Amino acid sequence: MSTSDIDAEVRRKRALYRSWHRGTREMDLLLGGFADRHLATFSERQIGLYEALLERADADIYDWMCGRSAVPAEFDHDVMKLLKNFKIQA
């Protein structure tokens, strides 16, 4: 495994942890489930976009996901589109 592969794997694990430990159970389930489903296939660029998204407040992310408010241009990318289309499987 190359250094960049190891770095990407560490970033994935960190993002997965942050997705499951947001502070509200609802966002834990939404972002944690999303990360479980998609992080393993993300490119390094997509990991970076997701990491930046995780820096935002839960309320902002939730409003964007639900369409309550417009997604700011810097977050209107393929990862956000995946997140908006994500459905939790029962």
Side-chain angles (χ1 to χ4, degrees), residues 24-66:
T24 63
R25 188 65 184 143
E26 294 82 3
M27 289 306 286
D28 290 351
L29 292 171
L30 286 169
L31 293 177
F34 175 81
D36 282 348
R37 186 163 311 148
H38 293 287
L39 262 178
T41 62
F42 276 1
S43 67
E44 286 193 45
R45 179 191 66 81
Q46 289 173 311
I47 294 170
L49 294 172
Y50 188 62
E51 288 169 328
L53 189 60
L54 291 174
E55 293 296 322
R56 296 302 299 248
D58 287 352
D60 291 339
I61 298 169
Y62 187 79
D63 286 348
W64 301 336
M65 287 177 69
C66 295

Side-chain angles (χ1 to χ4, degrees), residues 6-34:
I6 293 170
D7 291 343
E9 190 58 30
V10 168
R11 290 173 65 201
R12 280 186 183 90
K13 287 179 181 180
R14 186 176 298 133
L16 181 63
Y17 180 86
R18 290 182 63 205
S19 297
W20 277 108
H21 297 88
R22 296 298 297 178
T24 63
R25 188 65 184 143
E26 294 82 3
M27 289 306 286
D28 290 351
L29 292 171
L30 286 169
L31 293 177
F34 175 81

